[in-house]
Amino acid sequence: MKKATLVDLLNVVLNKGLIINADIIVCVADIPLLAVSLRAAIAGIETMLEYGMMQDWDEAVRALGKSHKK
Amino acid sequence: MEKMKLQTKIKEEGRYIYCVALGKEEDFGSIGINKEKVYTICYKDICVVVHNCWAKPYVSDDPAVVKKWVEGHQNVIDTAVKKFSTVLPFGFDRIIKAKRGFADNVVKNWLRQEYDKLRRKIEILKGKEEYAIRIFWNRETGANKLINSNPKLKDLSKKIKNLSEGAAYIHRKNFEIKLKEEIEKEADNHFKKIYNKVHKVSEDIKINSIKDSEMLAHFSCLVNKGYVEKLGNILDKINKTGFSVQFTGPWPPYSFC
């Protein structure tokens, strides 16, 4: 997915959409934090792309993923 | 045996909800987040596209995992759009919770209560698409043009060049303040003109917040399908007159539900 599309996708799925009454929805209190950390990650990806460091970033993220699976 | 014990202890279940649409019973197969089976729960002529899950949100601090989930969410909605045309999309991670065995009823109940509102929204949004538009303006280039075209600024700029270092300092500070004011006025004018141009071909516009200093405008536009080409032409012209335009879409109407 193109970077611009991903940025806009995040904007709509994390901030917008049909509203539903809170009493039947699972509490998503963690979600704002999710959005923040993901935006930071995306910003990081953008910077890496600019400086041609995408490969390093991919490897770092994959390493992070592995450590969490433990 | 252990797993069965655990499952009987769990008292709640969830339905991950993707979108609402005009439609009937459908089985979309394993196209959901984490390959969950996606299907519809219906009431009268409307339905919710769902997959079964635990009554807790999908949370991870691994951006790659969340990216996959979010893309999975959008893929299901894309499929729903192909099937149903007009959909009212939910944001990521909306899960209806209920006592085990009652989730479908809770969903149907919600559809029943909201039926009129949802039907009306679907009618309003038929044949329309959302586009995300970002417009960038290089303020430095704008500043140079401004200095040359604005007599006061032009004079001030010349004056400073002929002063000694010390004397020039204060004047330069004043000049910078004045220049910044004029640039922001200019940016404001450009914004208004662009907004009006885009508004002419849009049913609705939402103005989004801007974090990037080079960004002049960030809109979510609801556009009738028949006007999309006109919007494209307008953005094309804007792109050729000193601004940089970036836009994505069509999106289902996340911002206009």
Side-chain angles (χ1 to χ4, degrees):
Chain A
M1 180 177 280
K2 273 193 197 159
K3 188 187 76 190
T5 311
L6 179 60
V7 169
D8 285 337
L9 174 62
L10 289 173
N11 187 39
V12 290
V13 301
L14 297 179
N15 297 322
K16 308 199 181 185
L18 190 58
I19 304 290
I20 185 164
N21 32 315
D23 57 346
I24 60 170
I25 277 282
V26 169
C27 177
V28 285
D30 291 333
I31 297 303
L33 292 176
L34 192 78
V36 166
S37 65
L38 193 62
R39 277 184 221 288
I42 298 301
I45 291 173
E46 286 174 351
T47 313
M48 295 289 181
L49 281 172
E50 274 174 28
Y51 294 101
M53 287 154 75
M54 189 61 188
Q55 196 185 7
D56 294 342
W57 176 260
D58 268 350
E59 282 165 4
V61 167
R62 274 183 219 129
L64 188 72
K66 278 182 194 153
S67 69
H68 279 280
K69 276 174 194 160
K70 284 179 199 161
Chain B
M1 213 23 143
E2 283 278 322
K3 204 176 178 186
M4 265 171 62
K5 275 190 192 165
L6 183 67
Q7 281 174 346
T8 52
K9 277 190 180 164
I10 293 170
K11 297 209 157 69
E12 280 190 325
E13 61 173 349
R15 295 287 179 266
Y16 183 104
I17 51 179
Y18 290 93
C19 60
V20 172
L22 273 179
K24 300 190 288 238
E25 274 86 15
E26 296 287 343
D27 180 356
F28 290 105
S30 303
I31 63 166
I33 288 169
N34 290 349
K35 297 200 165 80
E36 297 288 357
K37 291 198 179 135
V38 175
Y39 63 100
T40 56
I41 295 173
C42 306
Y43 172 76
K44 286 194 182 173
D45 54 353
I46 60 174
C47 64
V48 186
V49 178
V50 307
H51 80 242
N52 295 359
C53 58
W54 301 122
K56 54 180 192 144
Y58 287 80
V59 179
S60 166
D61 48 13
D62 181 348
V65 170
V66 179
K67 179 173 173 275
K68 199 182 65 166
W69 285 340
V70 161
E71 285 171 348
H73 179 97
Q74 185 54 31
N75 281 339
V76 171
I77 296 198
D78 278 343
T79 305
V81 169
K82 285 192 189 112
K83 184 81 195 179
F84 302 121
S85 294
T86 307
V87 309
L88 308 177
F90 286 106
F92 172 68
D93 228 355
R94 301 284 177 262
I95 295 170
I96 286 181
K97 63 177 178 188
K99 270 193 206 148
R100 202 137 181 231
F102 288 90
D104 282 1
N105 287 342
V106 172
V107 174
K108 278 191 189 152
N109 212 37
W110 178 76
L111 282 175
R112 190 171 47 80
Q113 284 171 354
E114 301 290 308
Y115 181 78
D116 290 336
K117 219 191 276 177
L118 295 171
R119 263 321 241 106
R120 232 181 299 132
K121 284 187 189 190
I122 291 172
E123 280 307 307
I124 290 171
L125 294 169
K126 260 190 192 158
K128 296 175 185 134
E129 294 169 330
E130 176 168 333
Y131 285 86
I133 300 171
R134 289 162 205 268
I135 304 197
F136 299 87
W137 182 51
N138 186 312
R139 278 166 168 79
E140 213 180 285
T141 315
N144 289 333
K145 278 192 187 159
L146 205 61
I147 293 172
N148 283 323
S149 62
N150 184 313
K152 261 191 198 162
L153 289 173
K154 200 170 185 178
D155 288 341
L156 257 169
S157 172
K158 277 189 186 157
K159 207 188 202 175
I160 292 170
K161 286 194 179 122
N162 296 324
L163 291 173
S164 68
E165 187 71 35
Y169 180 77
I170 293 175
H171 286 284
R172 199 176 296 131
K173 283 287 154 198
N174 286 336
F175 174 76
E176 276 164 17
I177 291 170
K178 186 76 187 153
L179 181 63
K180 203 172 177 201
E181 273 174 19
E182 293 301 315
I183 294 238
E184 289 315 310
K185 270 188 206 164
E186 181 104 343
D188 211 40
N189 280 336
H190 287 313
F191 178 93
K192 284 180 182 143
K193 282 189 190 146
I194 289 172
Y195 179 91
N196 287 333
K197 285 186 184 150
V198 172
H199 194 265
K200 281 208 176 96
V201 294
S202 307
E203 298 280 328
D204 199 356
I205 304 182
K206 291 265 151 73
I207 299 174
N208 298 317
S209 62
I210 290 176
K211 286 148 202 161
D212 185 327
S213 59
E214 286 254 316
M215 205 182 292
L216 182 68
H218 182 195
F219 303 132
S220 297
C221 299
L222 185 68
V223 185
N224 201 299
K225 281 181 186 167
Y227 279 83
V228 171
E229 201 180 323
K230 282 199 178 130
L231 175 66
N233 292 335
I234 287 171
L235 293 176
D236 213 30
K237 279 197 188 131
I238 294 172
N239 197 42
K240 291 180 174 145
T241 52
F243 305 95
S244 177
V245 178
Q246 210 180 76
F247 76 101
T248 62
W251 298 97
Y254 281 100
S255 309
F256 300 97
C257 297

